């Protein structure tokens, strides 16, 4: 009787472990997004969402077939969206700051915020005073925070989805 009870308990434990492992394997990766806008949405829907957030299309800087540039007077950055047909390819924020010191401080602030939000350390292939890159590997995309203070202060944040693997 004891052996039977022990066998039943072992089977129950194995079942719980197997169910847990299966749930972990089937857990889906969170969709890659730009400030809450998922990259899998069609380009037209993404544009409508940006317009609803108070951004306007800068038609002089946009290429109607491949890119759109958004500006909002209330924000201190511009957003460039690259797309192909109705599929988003990349989104890039370009911050408009006045000095190298302000871009360095903003780079650190953005880097620290993404580190906390994603719970991951960035890969920093370049980490000099005036040129820094921090790449964050999200499950389905890469977020890069790039500082380039050569002639003018430049700070960009680029969101690029990973290419889907063909099965």
């Amino acid at each position: 009787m004891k052996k039977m009870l022990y066998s039943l308990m072992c089977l129950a434990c194995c079942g719980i472990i197997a169910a847990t492992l299966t749930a972990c394997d089937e857990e889906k990766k969170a969709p890659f997004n730009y400030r809450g806008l998922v990259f899998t949405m069609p380009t037209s829907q993404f544009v409508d969402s940006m317009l609803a957030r108070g951004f306007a299309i800068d038609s002089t800087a946009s290429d109607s077939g491949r890119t759109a540039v958004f500006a909002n007077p209330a924000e201190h950055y511009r957003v460039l969206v690259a797309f192909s047909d109705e599929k988003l390819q990349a989104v890039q924020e370009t911050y408009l700051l006045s000095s190298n010191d302000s871009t360095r401080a903003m780079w650190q602030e953005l880097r620290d915020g993404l580190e906390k939000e994603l719970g991951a350390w960035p890969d920093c292939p370049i980490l000099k005073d005036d040129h820094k890159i921090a790449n964050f590997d999200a499950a389905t995309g890469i977020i890069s925070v790039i500082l380039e203070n050569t002639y003018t202060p430049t700070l960009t944040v680029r969101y690029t989805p990973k290419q889907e693997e063909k099965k």
Side-chain angles (χ1 to χ4, degrees), residues 29-33 137-142 160-163:
K29 297 175 184 172
F32 191 58
N33 70 75
D137 189 356
T140 55
I142 303 290
T160 311
K162 290 180 180 175
Q163 299 298 323

Side-chain angles (χ1 to χ4, degrees), residues 6-165:
Y6 180 73
S7 296
L8 258 151
M9 286 175 43
C10 286
L11 283 173
C13 286
C14 288
I16 291 170
I17 292 170
T20 304
L21 290 174
T22 303
C24 289
D25 286 344
E26 292 176 0
E27 187 177 304
K28 292 187 177 182
K29 297 175 184 172
F32 191 58
N33 70 75
Y34 167 72
R35 296 185 181 253
L37 300 176
V38 182
F39 265 77
T40 55
M41 70 173 47
T43 302
S44 56
Q45 186 180 356
F46 186 90
V47 169
D48 291 343
S49 298
M50 290 296 287
L51 295 174
R53 292 179 177 200
F55 283 85
I57 294 178
D58 180 353
S59 58
T60 59
S62 300
D63 173 1
S64 62
R66 291 181 219 113
T67 61
V69 177
F70 296 91
N72 182 344
E75 300 292 343
H76 56 281
Y77 60 89
R78 295 169 61 88
V79 179
L80 177 128
V81 179
F83 55 91
S84 175
D85 297 321
E86 278 294 304
K87 186 174 180 181
L88 295 174
Q89 300 295 316
V91 175
Q92 179 175 297
E93 296 175 345
T94 303
Y95 286 80
L96 310 172
L97 300 166
S98 59
S99 71
N100 288 349
D101 289 339
S102 59
T103 55
R104 286 186 199 107
M106 183 66 130
W107 183 89
Q108 191 65 48
E109 183 181 313
L110 289 168
R111 179 200 174 279
D112 292 347
L114 285 168
E115 184 179 309
K116 186 175 180 180
E117 179 184 331
L118 298 172
W121 286 87
D123 173 35
C124 297
I126 299 174
L127 204 53
K128 300 177 183 175
D129 282 345
D130 288 325
H131 190 189
K132 300 178 184 193
I133 298 175
N135 295 319
F136 290 90
D137 189 356
T140 55
I142 303 290
I143 303 172
S144 301
V145 183
I146 304 163
L147 171 72
E148 295 177 299
N149 286 340
T150 49
Y151 300 107
T152 57
T154 306
L155 178 65
T156 57
V157 181
R158 185 176 305 133
Y159 297 76
T160 311
K162 290 180 180 175
Q163 299 298 323
E164 294 178 11
E165 294 179 18

